[in-house]
Amino acid sequence: MRLLSLLTISLFFLSGSIKAQTTFVRLSTSKGNILIKLYDETPHHRDNFVRLVKKGLFRDQEFNRVIKDFVSQGGELDETILKREKLNPNVPAERLAAEIRTELFHKKGALGAGRDDNPEKSSFLDQIYLVQGKIQTDAELDALEVKKGIKFSASQREVYKKIGGIPRLDNDYTVFGEIIEGLAVAEAINAVATDKNDRPLKKEAFTITILDKKEIRKPVKQ
């Protein structure tokens, strides 16, 4: 089963502390539910996300930019944020300091925080994306290592070659969670028809809720 393979590989690589994460959320969509664990290793992004969910910001939101085999993005668009900041130059731009960790990478199913091209790689407060990506080859990973000046571990290579992802985003964007159930739903969302601006032709809405421990034990309906 594809999802089981994903979890097996993830647990093999993310051993130790990442297994016992404390915060889980459900992303409810018209195509089904997605269960996501937020990493304790990125506490500021986790806490900011939880705060926004509790405020209701991610209630009846939508995937407003879907790029096939790349990402499915939700929350506020870059253009909206940057336009607002341009109209209010005296108001400091709000960003969340990067929490980039080499062991938290852009495998398929990862949850990341969007950002602009700021040199600190700080994240927007309310823009998220789910990684779809593609299967990678050793040659492609070798080329990226040279281009980016990074080194993929043997375990990372195994994940990228078996389930795919977007390794070229590693070390440039904060990854702060991952799908642990409902990967097929995320795949379906990433496959929807879009216009020339990558906006879904049909609204793809979602609502995010924080789960308690009892809910985590229950299977997520597909």
Side-chain angles (χ1 to χ4, degrees):
M1 186 175 179
R2 194 173 186 183
L3 180 55
L4 182 58
S5 298
L6 170 65
L7 294 177
T8 301
I9 294 170
S10 298
L11 291 177
F12 170 76
F13 180 74
L14 300 174
S15 58
S17 62
I18 299 179
K19 288 183 181 179
Q21 301 300 318
T22 59
T23 308
F24 295 79
V25 300
R26 177 184 291 119
L27 196 156
S28 304
T29 80
S30 61
K31 290 178 169 52
N33 294 332
I34 299 172
L35 182 64
I36 296 174
K37 68 177 178 182
L38 305 181
Y39 296 143
D40 292 337
E41 289 71 21
T42 52
H44 299 301
H45 281 71
R46 177 201 62 201
D47 293 349
N48 173 71
F49 187 66
V50 168
R51 177 180 62 83
L52 295 179
V53 171
K54 288 182 176 179
K55 284 180 63 176
L57 184 68
F58 290 106
R59 184 181 300 119
D60 196 30
Q61 265 283 2
E62 63 181 296
F63 288 100
N64 46 33
R65 180 166 288 154
V66 175
I67 305 175
K68 187 174 175 59
D69 296 327
F70 187 59
V71 301
S72 300
Q73 178 184 299
E76 198 168 17
L77 288 167
D78 302 45
E79 295 86 348
T80 305
I81 298 171
L82 298 177
K83 181 179 180 180
R84 181 176 65 249
E85 292 175 350
K86 186 176 181 179
L87 292 173
N88 298 279
N90 296 323
V91 179
E94 289 189 288
R95 298 289 187 273
L96 197 60
E99 293 181 288
I100 296 170
R101 297 174 62 102
T102 56
E103 72 271 25
L104 306 178
F105 57 104
H106 285 82
K107 63 186 176 182
K108 183 176 182 177
L111 171 69
R115 67 172 179 86
D116 58 359
D117 293 326
N118 70 85
E120 295 82 15
K121 303 179 181 179
S122 300
S123 308
F124 290 134
L125 298 185
D126 57 356
Q127 185 186 105
I128 60 173
Y129 60 87
L130 294 175
V131 172
Q132 179 69 20
K134 298 180 179 179
I135 299 292
Q136 304 293 311
T137 66
D138 278 316
E140 289 171 327
L141 295 171
D142 290 343
L144 275 172
E145 286 185 333
V146 173
K147 182 178 181 179
K148 293 177 66 71
I150 62 176
K151 184 70 176 177
F152 297 110
S153 69
S155 298
Q156 286 175 317
R157 282 177 171 269
E158 187 71 8
V159 172
Y160 278 134
K161 290 192 295 181
K162 286 192 174 182
I163 67 170
I166 317 173
R168 68 181 177 86
L169 297 184
D170 287 348
N171 288 17
D172 285 320
Y173 292 79
T174 297
V175 173
F176 67 103
E178 68 175 86
I179 294 172
I180 61 171
E181 193 169 343
L183 186 62
V185 176
E187 291 174 339
I189 291 168
N190 190 254
V192 301
T194 59
D195 63 19
K196 63 180 181 180
N197 296 314
D198 302 313
R199 192 174 184 87
L201 297 180
K202 179 183 176 182
K203 181 179 178 179
E204 296 295 333
F206 67 87
T207 292
I208 298 177
T209 53
I210 300 167
L211 304 181
D212 60 30
K213 292 181 179 179
K214 292 181 180 179
E215 290 178 294
I216 295 169
R217 297 191 186 99
K218 296 178 181 178
V220 177
K221 294 181 181 179
Q222 298 296 321

